[in-house]
Amino acid sequence: MRIGFIGLGNMGGGMAANLVRGGHKVCAVDSAPEALARAREHGCEIAAGLREAVVEADAVISMLPNGAIVRAVYDEVMGHAPPHALLIDCSTIDVATARDLATTARRRGYAMIDAPVSGGIAAAAAGTLTFMVGGEEADFMAAQGVLGTMGKAVIHAGPNGAGQAAKVCNNMLLGASMIATCEAFSLAGRLGLDLQTFYDISSKASGQCWSMTSYCPVPGVGPETPADHGYEGGFATALMLKDLTLAMEAAQGAGAAVSMGRRAQELYTAFAQAGNGRLDFSAIIRTM
């Protein structure tokens, strides 16, 4: 399959490389020369521009920073990609924009799905992402092969926009549970518990959660995580804050009460504004 790939940042670069390893022909485009150079090293064809990247594509995949950029990109993609091309946006954006773009795509003769991801940079590089897909059943089925090349799980969440809904709900839970995990380790230490001992107990008890057992915020405890590297790499605080903000916007639109999610957004806002936006989101333990 020939794939036009748009956006080769920390996530997109690894995803495009895995598509090449899976036997697909990838024609990639990005605004950063260094990202293009890495993509070329991984076997991607480098397009002169956006239109050139999609003009012969069987599928178009995007991994972009926000909804405004996604909308602008697909305004140009539609009309230049072939009518049979499946449009797959893997960015994390607001639900309303995802639904609106899918409606526009259908009106212009294209099939489009939203397929945001979970797993972070390491999973993008390893090809073990989880894709949460919103779209028609037939389009989901058509996308499974290409998404499966980049991930360990491809799950149909429902109609267009449902992938984004699943992503913001998931990351709201992740943000709140990480804060609770950090607070628990902080309290354990103040009560005189050895933190490794607390981990050994809680990871096998009712307090067990992904933020503890797979992404422990304490250096030297549990599996290797960004905490063991000065909180560099991983999932940046700025990105967590972006996802929490999207979740709060979605909650307001749906009339949902999300007090824990809102408090998590407030804490991550303060942490980011203190100059920690580039650090992994688990670094918030430093404030406790």
Side-chain angles (χ1 to χ4, degrees), residues 244-286:
L244 286 168
T245 300
L246 288 173
M248 294 308 99
E249 292 171 355
Q252 182 175 5
V258 287
S259 56
M260 294 294 290
R262 191 164 300 283
R263 183 58 180 149
Q265 182 201 29
E266 292 169 355
L267 291 171
Y268 275 109
T269 296
F271 189 55
Q273 289 177 345
N276 301 300
R278 67 176 183 79
L279 293 179
D280 182 75
F281 78 111
S282 64
I284 199 167
I285 195 172
R286 291 177 170 178

mmCIF file of all heavy atoms in Angstrom, residues 244-286:
data_model
loop_
_atom_site.group_PDB
_atom_site.id
_atom_site.type_symbol
_atom_site.label_atom_id
_atom_site.label_comp_id
_atom_site.label_asym_id
_atom_site.label_seq_id
_atom_site.Cartn_x
_atom_site.Cartn_y
_atom_site.Cartn_z
ATOM 1 N N LEU A 244 -5.843 16.950 28.840
ATOM 2 C CA LEU A 244 -6.761 17.264 29.930
ATOM 3 C C LEU A 244 -7.658 18.446 29.567
ATOM 4 O O LEU A 244 -8.850 18.473 29.907
ATOM 5 C CB LEU A 244 -5.978 17.566 31.204
ATOM 6 C CG LEU A 244 -5.364 16.346 31.899
ATOM 7 C CD1 LEU A 244 -4.383 16.787 32.976
ATOM 8 C CD2 LEU A 244 -6.445 15.448 32.499
ATOM 9 N N THR A 245 -7.096 19.413 28.867
ATOM 10 C CA THR A 245 -7.891 20.561 28.435
ATOM 11 C C THR A 245 -8.963 20.129 27.434
ATOM 12 O O THR A 245 -10.117 20.575 27.515
ATOM 13 C CB THR A 245 -6.980 21.640 27.824
ATOM 14 O OG1 THR A 245 -6.027 22.057 28.819
ATOM 15 C CG2 THR A 245 -7.776 22.842 27.361
ATOM 16 N N LEU A 246 -8.601 19.239 26.513
ATOM 17 C CA LEU A 246 -9.595 18.703 25.581
ATOM 18 C C LEU A 246 -10.687 17.946 26.335
ATOM 19 O O LEU A 246 -11.874 18.038 25.994
ATOM 20 C CB LEU A 246 -8.914 17.772 24.571
ATOM 21 C CG LEU A 246 -8.037 18.433 23.508
ATOM 22 C CD1 LEU A 246 -7.291 17.371 22.700
ATOM 23 C CD2 LEU A 246 -8.868 19.307 22.574
ATOM 24 N N ALA A 247 -10.297 17.199 27.358
ATOM 25 C CA ALA A 247 -11.275 16.455 28.141
ATOM 26 C C ALA A 247 -12.230 17.404 28.869
ATOM 27 O O ALA A 247 -13.446 17.152 28.936
ATOM 28 C CB ALA A 247 -10.568 15.552 29.146
ATOM 29 N N MET A 248 -11.695 18.509 29.408
ATOM 30 C CA MET A 248 -12.551 19.460 30.114
ATOM 31 C C MET A 248 -13.511 20.148 29.142
ATOM 32 O O MET A 248 -14.671 20.393 29.469
ATOM 33 C CB MET A 248 -11.701 20.496 30.845
ATOM 34 C CG MET A 248 -10.859 19.941 31.990
ATOM 35 S SD MET A 248 -11.806 18.943 33.185
ATOM 36 C CE MET A 248 -11.432 17.273 32.631
ATOM 37 N N GLU A 249 -13.036 20.445 27.936
ATOM 38 C CA GLU A 249 -13.915 21.044 26.929
ATOM 39 C C GLU A 249 -15.030 20.070 26.539
ATOM 40 O O GLU A 249 -16.200 20.451 26.396
ATOM 41 C CB GLU A 249 -13.098 21.437 25.697
ATOM 42 C CG GLU A 249 -12.132 22.591 25.949
ATOM 43 C CD GLU A 249 -11.187 22.824 24.788
ATOM 44 O OE1 GLU A 249 -11.212 22.028 23.822
ATOM 45 O OE2 GLU A 249 -10.415 23.799 24.839
ATOM 46 N N ALA A 250 -14.655 18.800 26.390
ATOM 47 C CA ALA A 250 -15.655 17.785 26.040
ATOM 48 C C ALA A 250 -16.662 17.610 27.172
ATOM 49 O O ALA A 250 -17.871 17.465 26.933
ATOM 50 C CB ALA A 250 -14.965 16.456 25.731
ATOM 51 N N ALA A 251 -16.172 17.622 28.409
ATOM 52 C CA ALA A 251 -17.060 17.467 29.557
ATOM 53 C C ALA A 251 -18.039 18.623 29.658
ATOM 54 O O ALA A 251 -19.229 18.425 29.950
ATOM 55 C CB ALA A 251 -16.235 17.364 30.841
ATOM 56 N N GLN A 252 -17.568 19.833 29.400
ATOM 57 C CA GLN A 252 -18.445 20.996 29.440
ATOM 58 C C GLN A 252 -19.534 20.883 28.376
ATOM 59 O O GLN A 252 -20.711 21.144 28.634
ATOM 60 C CB GLN A 252 -17.642 22.276 29.244
ATOM 61 C CG GLN A 252 -18.482 23.547 29.323
ATOM 62 C CD GLN A 252 -17.640 24.800 29.236
ATOM 63 O OE1 GLN A 252 -16.437 24.741 29.021
ATOM 64 N NE2 GLN A 252 -18.259 25.955 29.397
ATOM 65 N N GLY A 253 -19.127 20.449 27.171
ATOM 66 C CA GLY A 253 -20.103 20.309 26.095
ATOM 67 C C GLY A 253 -21.128 19.230 26.368
ATOM 68 O O GLY A 253 -22.280 19.326 25.931
ATOM 69 N N ALA A 254 -20.715 18.187 27.114
ATOM 70 C CA ALA A 254 -21.617 17.075 27.403
ATOM 71 C C ALA A 254 -22.370 17.252 28.716
ATOM 72 O O ALA A 254 -23.225 16.424 29.056
ATOM 73 C CB ALA A 254 -20.812 15.767 27.453
ATOM 74 N N GLY A 255 -22.040 18.302 29.466
ATOM 75 C CA GLY A 255 -22.680 18.514 30.757
ATOM 76 C C GLY A 255 -22.291 17.479 31.791
ATOM 77 O O GLY A 255 -23.089 17.109 32.653
ATOM 78 N N ALA A 256 -21.037 16.992 31.718
ATOM 79 C CA ALA A 256 -20.559 15.948 32.622
ATOM 80 C C ALA A 256 -19.768 16.560 33.779
ATOM 81 O O ALA A 256 -18.961 17.475 33.576
ATOM 82 C CB ALA A 256 -19.685 14.950 31.867
ATOM 83 N N ALA A 257 -19.974 16.031 34.983
ATOM 84 C CA ALA A 257 -19.221 16.467 36.159
ATOM 85 C C ALA A 257 -17.933 15.655 36.252
ATOM 86 O O ALA A 257 -17.980 14.430 36.373
ATOM 87 C CB ALA A 257 -20.051 16.285 37.420
ATOM 88 N N VAL A 258 -16.785 16.317 36.186
ATOM 89 C CA VAL A 258 -15.487 15.631 36.196
ATOM 90 C C VAL A 258 -14.551 16.363 37.164
ATOM 91 O O VAL A 258 -13.516 16.894 36.763
ATOM 92 C CB VAL A 258 -14.880 15.541 34.780
ATOM 93 C CG1 VAL A 258 -15.621 14.530 33.921
ATOM 94 C CG2 VAL A 258 -14.899 16.906 34.088
ATOM 95 N N SER A 259 -14.884 16.347 38.437
ATOM 96 C CA SER A 259 -14.134 17.131 39.411
ATOM 97 C C SER A 259 -12.687 16.661 39.546
ATOM 98 O O SER A 259 -11.773 17.481 39.699
ATOM 99 C CB SER A 259 -14.830 17.097 40.773
ATOM 100 O OG SER A 259 -15.014 15.766 41.219
ATOM 101 N N MET A 260 -12.444 15.352 39.491
ATOM 102 C CA MET A 260 -11.075 14.847 39.585
ATOM 103 C C MET A 260 -10.271 15.231 38.347
ATOM 104 O O MET A 260 -9.107 15.622 38.429
ATOM 105 C CB MET A 260 -11.081 13.330 39.765
ATOM 106 C CG MET A 260 -11.675 12.883 41.080
ATOM 107 S SD MET A 260 -10.701 13.400 42.513
ATOM 108 C CE MET A 260 -9.256 12.361 42.325
ATOM 109 N N GLY A 261 -10.899 15.129 37.189
ATOM 110 C CA GLY A 261 -10.229 15.524 35.961
ATOM 111 C C GLY A 261 -9.907 17.006 35.957
ATOM 112 O O GLY A 261 -8.816 17.423 35.530
ATOM 113 N N ARG A 262 -10.843 17.814 36.440
ATOM 114 C CA ARG A 262 -10.608 19.267 36.472
ATOM 115 C C ARG A 262 -9.482 19.615 37.439
ATOM 116 O O ARG A 262 -8.658 20.487 37.161
ATOM 117 C CB ARG A 262 -11.897 19.999 36.856
ATOM 118 C CG ARG A 262 -11.800 21.499 36.645
ATOM 119 C CD ARG A 262 -13.170 22.154 36.661
ATOM 120 N NE ARG A 262 -14.053 21.637 35.627
ATOM 121 C CZ ARG A 262 -13.974 21.963 34.337
ATOM 122 N NH1 ARG A 262 -13.043 22.806 33.917
ATOM 123 N NH2 ARG A 262 -14.833 21.450 33.469
ATOM 124 N N ARG A 263 -9.424 18.930 38.584
ATOM 125 C CA ARG A 263 -8.337 19.192 39.525
ATOM 126 C C ARG A 263 -6.994 18.775 38.927
ATOM 127 O O ARG A 263 -5.986 19.466 39.111
ATOM 128 C CB ARG A 263 -8.591 18.448 40.842
ATOM 129 C CG ARG A 263 -7.531 18.722 41.912
ATOM 130 C CD ARG A 263 -7.421 20.196 42.228
ATOM 131 N NE ARG A 263 -6.418 20.457 43.237
ATOM 132 C CZ ARG A 263 -5.688 21.567 43.321
ATOM 133 N NH1 ARG A 263 -5.861 22.539 42.414
ATOM 134 N NH2 ARG A 263 -4.809 21.731 44.276
ATOM 135 N N ALA A 264 -6.986 17.667 38.194
ATOM 136 C CA ALA A 264 -5.754 17.248 37.529
ATOM 137 C C ALA A 264 -5.306 18.304 36.526
ATOM 138 O O ALA A 264 -4.114 18.628 36.425
ATOM 139 C CB ALA A 264 -5.951 15.900 36.830
ATOM 140 N N GLN A 265 -6.261 18.857 35.772
ATOM 141 C CA GLN A 265 -5.920 19.913 34.823
ATOM 142 C C GLN A 265 -5.314 21.107 35.553
ATOM 143 O O GLN A 265 -4.316 21.694 35.095
ATOM 144 C CB GLN A 265 -7.155 20.358 34.049
ATOM 145 C CG GLN A 265 -6.858 21.431 33.007
ATOM 146 C CD GLN A 265 -8.086 22.219 32.597
ATOM 147 O OE1 GLN A 265 -9.017 22.383 33.389
ATOM 148 N NE2 GLN A 265 -8.106 22.709 31.364
ATOM 149 N N GLU A 266 -5.871 21.498 36.685
ATOM 150 C CA GLU A 266 -5.355 22.636 37.442
ATOM 151 C C GLU A 266 -3.925 22.384 37.912
ATOM 152 O O GLU A 266 -3.063 23.266 37.812
ATOM 153 C CB GLU A 266 -6.257 22.908 38.646
ATOM 154 C CG GLU A 266 -7.645 23.421 38.270
ATOM 155 C CD GLU A 266 -8.611 23.429 39.436
ATOM 156 O OE1 GLU A 266 -8.240 22.939 40.528
ATOM 157 O OE2 GLU A 266 -9.740 23.909 39.255
ATOM 158 N N LEU A 267 -3.664 21.180 38.413
ATOM 159 C CA LEU A 267 -2.328 20.861 38.911
ATOM 160 C C LEU A 267 -1.302 20.804 37.781
ATOM 161 O O LEU A 267 -0.175 21.296 37.929
ATOM 162 C CB LEU A 267 -2.367 19.544 39.682
ATOM 163 C CG LEU A 267 -3.118 19.581 41.016
ATOM 164 C CD1 LEU A 267 -3.272 18.181 41.590
ATOM 165 C CD2 LEU A 267 -2.392 20.482 42.008
ATOM 166 N N TYR A 268 -1.696 20.225 36.653
ATOM 167 C CA TYR A 268 -0.760 20.172 35.525
ATOM 168 C C TYR A 268 -0.567 21.548 34.887
ATOM 169 O O TYR A 268 0.511 21.843 34.366
ATOM 170 C CB TYR A 268 -1.219 19.133 34.498
ATOM 171 C CG TYR A 268 -0.735 17.749 34.846
ATOM 172 C CD1 TYR A 268 -1.606 16.768 35.285
ATOM 173 C CD2 TYR A 268 0.626 17.433 34.769
ATOM 174 C CE1 TYR A 268 -1.157 15.503 35.634
ATOM 175 C CE2 TYR A 268 1.080 16.174 35.109
ATOM 176 C CZ TYR A 268 0.193 15.215 35.550
ATOM 177 O OH TYR A 268 0.650 13.972 35.907
ATOM 178 N N THR A 269 -1.584 22.399 34.947
ATOM 179 C CA THR A 269 -1.418 23.768 34.459
ATOM 180 C C THR A 269 -0.353 24.491 35.278
ATOM 181 O O THR A 269 0.558 25.126 34.728
ATOM 182 C CB THR A 269 -2.749 24.536 34.539
ATOM 183 O OG1 THR A 269 -3.695 23.930 33.662
ATOM 184 C CG2 THR A 269 -2.559 25.998 34.135
ATOM 185 N N ALA A 270 -0.453 24.395 36.594
ATOM 186 C CA ALA A 270 0.528 25.040 37.470
ATOM 187 C C ALA A 270 1.922 24.467 37.253
ATOM 188 O O ALA A 270 2.921 25.201 37.215
ATOM 189 C CB ALA A 270 0.107 24.876 38.927
ATOM 190 N N PHE A 271 2.009 23.156 37.077
ATOM 191 C CA PHE A 271 3.304 22.497 36.878
ATOM 192 C C PHE A 271 3.937 22.940 35.561
ATOM 193 O O PHE A 271 5.135 23.230 35.493
ATOM 194 C CB PHE A 271 3.107 20.983 36.893
ATOM 195 C CG PHE A 271 4.384 20.189 36.913
ATOM 196 C CD1 PHE A 271 5.346 20.402 37.884
ATOM 197 C CD2 PHE A 271 4.622 19.215 35.954
ATOM 198 C CE1 PHE A 271 6.519 19.657 37.913
ATOM 199 C CE2 PHE A 271 5.786 18.463 35.972
ATOM 200 C CZ PHE A 271 6.741 18.690 36.951
ATOM 201 N N ALA A 272 3.135 23.028 34.509
ATOM 202 C CA ALA A 272 3.644 23.473 33.210
ATOM 203 C C ALA A 272 4.056 24.934 33.256
ATOM 204 O O ALA A 272 5.113 25.313 32.725
ATOM 205 C CB ALA A 272 2.597 23.251 32.125
ATOM 206 N N GLN A 273 3.267 25.764 33.901
ATOM 207 C CA GLN A 273 3.573 27.193 33.970
ATOM 208 C C GLN A 273 4.824 27.466 34.792
ATOM 209 O O GLN A 273 5.440 28.524 34.644
ATOM 210 C CB GLN A 273 2.378 27.949 34.548
ATOM 211 C CG GLN A 273 1.194 28.028 33.593
ATOM 212 C CD GLN A 273 -0.021 28.712 34.183
ATOM 213 O OE1 GLN A 273 -0.108 28.901 35.399
ATOM 214 N NE2 GLN A 273 -0.968 29.066 33.342
ATOM 215 N N ALA A 274 5.217 26.521 35.634
ATOM 216 C CA ALA A 274 6.442 26.658 36.421
ATOM 217 C C ALA A 274 7.683 26.284 35.614
ATOM 218 O O ALA A 274 8.784 26.236 36.158
ATOM 219 C CB ALA A 274 6.357 25.810 37.685
ATOM 220 N N GLY A 275 7.497 26.012 34.326
ATOM 221 C CA GLY A 275 8.626 25.724 33.450
ATOM 222 C C GLY A 275 8.907 24.260 33.228
ATOM 223 O O GLY A 275 10.002 23.891 32.767
ATOM 224 N N ASN A 276 7.928 23.399 33.517
ATOM 225 C CA ASN A 276 8.149 21.953 33.425
ATOM 226 C C ASN A 276 7.426 21.302 32.249
ATOM 227 O O ASN A 276 7.288 20.078 32.215
ATOM 228 C CB ASN A 276 7.676 21.296 34.728
ATOM 229 C CG ASN A 276 8.418 21.836 35.933
ATOM 230 O OD1 ASN A 276 9.639 21.733 36.020
ATOM 231 N ND2 ASN A 276 7.681 22.437 36.866
ATOM 232 N N GLY A 277 6.987 22.085 31.292
ATOM 233 C CA GLY A 277 6.185 21.546 30.202
ATOM 234 C C GLY A 277 6.851 20.459 29.395
ATOM 235 O O GLY A 277 6.182 19.554 28.892
ATOM 236 N N ARG A 278 8.168 20.505 29.269
ATOM 237 C CA ARG A 278 8.859 19.505 28.441
ATOM 238 C C ARG A 278 9.146 18.218 29.205
ATOM 239 O O ARG A 278 9.462 17.186 28.610
ATOM 240 C CB ARG A 278 10.166 20.070 27.897
ATOM 241 C CG ARG A 278 11.205 20.336 28.966
ATOM 242 C CD ARG A 278 12.536 20.800 28.400
ATOM 243 N NE ARG A 278 13.522 20.986 29.456
ATOM 244 C CZ ARG A 278 14.193 19.996 30.026
ATOM 245 N NH1 ARG A 278 13.989 18.751 29.638
ATOM 246 N NH2 ARG A 278 15.070 20.237 30.986
ATOM 247 N N LEU A 279 9.081 18.256 30.553
ATOM 248 C CA LEU A 279 9.357 17.062 31.344
ATOM 249 C C LEU A 279 8.218 16.061 31.248
ATOM 250 O O LEU A 279 7.063 16.426 31.021
ATOM 251 C CB LEU A 279 9.568 17.433 32.813
ATOM 252 C CG LEU A 279 10.800 18.265 33.156
ATOM 253 C CD1 LEU A 279 10.822 18.556 34.654
ATOM 254 C CD2 LEU A 279 12.084 17.569 32.729
ATOM 255 N N ASP A 280 8.539 14.796 31.462
ATOM 256 C CA ASP A 280 7.506 13.769 31.492
ATOM 257 C C ASP A 280 6.467 14.108 32.558
ATOM 258 O O ASP A 280 6.784 14.659 33.614
ATOM 259 C CB ASP A 280 8.133 12.409 31.799
ATOM 260 C CG ASP A 280 7.107 11.301 31.785
ATOM 261 O OD1 ASP A 280 6.687 10.902 30.687
ATOM 262 O OD2 ASP A 280 6.695 10.858 32.877
ATOM 263 N N PHE A 281 5.226 13.755 32.294
ATOM 264 C CA PHE A 281 4.141 14.145 33.199
ATOM 265 C C PHE A 281 4.274 13.532 34.586
ATOM 266 O O PHE A 281 3.742 14.064 35.562
ATOM 267 C CB PHE A 281 2.786 13.827 32.571
ATOM 268 C CG PHE A 281 2.364 12.377 32.621
ATOM 269 C CD1 PHE A 281 1.304 11.985 33.423
ATOM 270 C CD2 PHE A 281 2.999 11.405 31.852
ATOM 271 C CE1 PHE A 281 0.880 10.665 33.476
ATOM 272 C CE2 PHE A 281 2.590 10.087 31.887
ATOM 273 C CZ PHE A 281 1.529 9.705 32.715
ATOM 274 N N SER A 282 5.012 12.441 34.721
ATOM 275 C CA SER A 282 5.204 11.844 36.050
ATOM 276 C C SER A 282 6.120 12.679 36.934
ATOM 277 O O SER A 282 6.167 12.474 38.148
ATOM 278 C CB SER A 282 5.778 10.433 35.921
ATOM 279 O OG SER A 282 7.078 10.453 35.334
ATOM 280 N N ALA A 283 6.817 13.654 36.341
ATOM 281 C CA ALA A 283 7.691 14.539 37.127
ATOM 282 C C ALA A 283 6.906 15.409 38.091
ATOM 283 O O ALA A 283 7.501 16.040 38.973
ATOM 284 C CB ALA A 283 8.521 15.425 36.189
ATOM 285 N N ILE A 284 5.587 15.408 37.983
ATOM 286 C CA ILE A 284 4.780 16.197 38.909
ATOM 287 C C ILE A 284 4.977 15.717 40.349
ATOM 288 O O ILE A 284 4.671 16.447 41.307
ATOM 289 C CB ILE A 284 3.288 16.169 38.508
ATOM 290 C CG1 ILE A 284 2.531 17.339 39.154
ATOM 291 C CG2 ILE A 284 2.658 14.819 38.811
ATOM 292 C CD1 ILE A 284 1.158 17.572 38.581
ATOM 293 N N ILE A 285 5.544 14.534 40.540
ATOM 294 C CA ILE A 285 5.846 14.047 41.889
ATOM 295 C C ILE A 285 6.808 14.985 42.599
ATOM 296 O O ILE A 285 6.835 15.048 43.831
ATOM 297 C CB ILE A 285 6.416 12.608 41.839
ATOM 298 C CG1 ILE A 285 6.375 11.976 43.233
ATOM 299 C CG2 ILE A 285 7.836 12.605 41.249
ATOM 300 C CD1 ILE A 285 6.726 10.503 43.250
ATOM 301 N N ARG A 286 7.589 15.755 41.864
ATOM 302 C CA ARG A 286 8.537 16.685 42.479
ATOM 303 C C ARG A 286 7.839 17.788 43.252
ATOM 304 O O ARG A 286 8.459 18.468 44.061
ATOM 305 C CB ARG A 286 9.419 17.312 41.387
ATOM 306 C CG ARG A 286 10.388 16.334 40.742
ATOM 307 C CD ARG A 286 11.157 17.020 39.630
ATOM 308 N NE ARG A 286 12.246 16.204 39.131
ATOM 309 C CZ ARG A 286 13.053 16.549 38.122
ATOM 310 N NH1 ARG A 286 12.858 17.712 37.499
ATOM 311 N NH2 ARG A 286 14.029 15.750 37.725
#
